[in-house]
Each structure stands twice: as structure tokens, then as C-alpha cells.
Amino acid sequence: MVENWFFKALTLTSLVVAIAFFFHTTPVSANPVPSNPQGFLLGALQWIDSLGTMGAIAFIILYIIATVAFLPGSILTLGAGVVFGVFWGSVYVFLGATLGATAAFLAGRYLARGWVAKKIADNKKFAAIDKAVGREGLKIVLLTRLSPIFPFNLLNYAFGITGVALKDYFIGSVGMIPGTIMYVYIGSLAGNLAMIGTESQSSNPTAQWAIRIVGFIATVAVTVYITRVAQKALENEVL
């Protein structure tokens, strides 16, 4: 009982602090209740790009809020590649997605069980996941993170009403890494394309682009392979 109240307090506090911090430091022109989520996130990315070293913290907080609020995280993941580059963009996306997913998991478990249960009541895939989690929680979480067949934001809440342990759920977040790197890489390529012809281009852009394209192809190939393997394994587990 004490544990339940502790996690309820932790979830509420983290969400309130994150939202308060973000909107307190956002320019007055930003709309706290965006009617156009895509436009809002793109505007927020531009603002984050202007923050310098504080941009990383603001980005992670924004990603947490987006995950909990069902905003499209793909825009932020691609944008991280443009703003931060492949390495740091992947790190910040992974941190934000993991913390946001954990907050949504705790909210689903302790604050919104009824709402989540109604949302997934008629979904056979989630029902199968619920049964499989009882056998191998960590393995199922990891496989669902590696496989894109489940909607990320709803899945976070749905896991909250299963029997999976918080520790297994948190560790299973490493399954997001391959997909994260791939999408951040795509964003970084888009950012580099936009800089063609500017003074910041190197003296040998052909060699740089050859390396980038080869790296991108390798990243996509590895990600697709891992995804297929995970999807087959997940299908076997939930049957």
C-alpha cells in the first residue's frame, strides 16, 4: 500500500515539475495547449536549438511530456538528428523516451487504470501481450520495443496494467535503441542536406556524404533485421 502511494506521488510530482518547468521557460508566444501538435513541436525544436547547452535538458523534458501526452514523438526524434547530430541526438531521445515511457507506465498503473483498460479492452494483441508478460516480463517488453507493431505511446500505458515489474519494464527500454538511432540518423541527413552550399561545408563533401550514406544504409539494414527477428520471436511468445 505504501509502495502504491509512493509511485502515485512520484508520477504526479515528476509530471507536474516537467510541465511547469517546460512551459515556464517557453517563450510567451508558445501555445500551452497546441491545436496543431506537429507545428507546436517544430516550433519547440527551433526554440531548443537556440538555447545552447540548456537545449538538451529542454529537449528531454519536451520528449517526456510528448510521450505522456500522446504527441508524435517521431517529429522530435527526427528533429534531434538535425539539432544535436546522430550521437547526442540518439542519447537525448533515448533518455527522454525512457523517462516518458516510465512516467506513462506509472500513470497507467496507479492513476488511470480504468481509462487504460477501456482503451485496450477489445484489442486482441494487447490481451495476448498481457498473458505473455506473466511468463516472461522483461523478454516481452524488450521484444515489443524492438518491434514497431504496437503504438508506442499507448503501449506505455498498457504495460502499466499488466503484471510486469517496473524494473523489467525499465530495462526493456534498451529495445528502443536501434529504431532511435535510425530515425535520428535520418534527421541528421536531412539537416546536412539543408546545409549544402553553405560556408560550414567541408572541403571534401563528396567523401563525407559517401560515409554518411554507407552508414545510413548499414543502420537501416541492421534495424530492419533486428525488427524482423524481434517480430517473429514476439509472435511465437504471444501465441
Side-chain angles (χ1 to χ4, degrees):
M1 190 68 179
V2 174
E3 183 186 16
N4 287 358
W5 280 107
F6 171 77
F7 280 122
K8 285 182 180 180
L10 176 63
T11 305
L12 278 173
T13 302
S14 62
L15 292 178
V16 170
V17 170
I19 293 171
F21 177 87
F22 178 74
F23 287 117
H24 177 71
T25 55
T26 304
V28 176
S29 60
N31 184 1
V33 184
S35 56
N36 178 11
Q38 291 82 3
F40 167 75
L41 293 176
L42 289 173
L45 283 168
Q46 291 179 338
W47 170 66
I48 286 171
D49 193 25
S50 69
L51 292 180
T53 55
M54 288 296 294
I57 297 174
F59 177 83
I60 292 170
I61 293 174
L62 174 62
Y63 212 108
I64 294 171
I65 296 170
T67 302
V68 174
F70 288 87
L71 296 179
S74 57
I75 293 176
L76 295 178
T77 304
L78 292 167
V82 177
V83 177
F84 303 110
V86 178
F87 178 78
W88 288 112
S90 298
V91 171
Y92 299 149
V93 168
F94 178 70
L95 288 174
T98 300
L99 294 174
T102 302
F105 172 87
L106 293 173
R109 174 156 294 183
Y110 299 110
L111 301 176
R113 290 186 68 91
W115 177 82
V116 176
K118 289 180 181 178
K119 271 289 193 182
I120 64 174
D122 299 323
N123 193 309
K124 295 181 179 179
K125 289 183 179 179
F126 282 121
I129 289 293
D130 189 13
K131 293 179 181 177
V133 160
R135 300 193 302 268
E136 295 185 84
L138 175 57
K139 183 177 181 180
I140 297 302
V141 174
L142 182 61
L143 290 174
T144 55
R145 294 310 191 194
L146 289 168
S147 175
I149 61 175
F150 294 95
F152 174 71
N153 288 339
L154 181 58
L155 185 63
N156 298 326
Y157 284 93
F159 269 124
I161 64 172
T162 68
V164 65
L166 175 60
K167 180 185 70 174
D168 290 341
Y169 176 81
F170 187 81
I171 295 174
S173 296
V174 299
M176 294 187 287
I177 292 177
T180 294
I181 294 174
M182 185 181 74
Y183 282 105
V184 172
Y185 208 132
I186 294 172
S188 72
L189 289 179
N192 288 324
L193 279 171
M195 294 179 66
I196 290 178
T198 65
E199 294 180 358
S200 59
Q201 284 288 291
S202 69
S203 58
N204 192 1
T206 303
Q208 275 200 353
W209 274 102
I211 294 172
R212 288 168 182 158
I213 292 172
V214 170
F216 173 67
I217 293 172
T219 302
V220 171
V222 171
T223 303
V224 170
Y225 175 76
I226 292 173
T227 298
R228 287 181 177 176
V229 171
Q231 190 166 336
K232 288 181 180 179
L234 183 60
E235 290 172 356
N236 292 333
E237 288 292 332
V238 299
L239 287 178

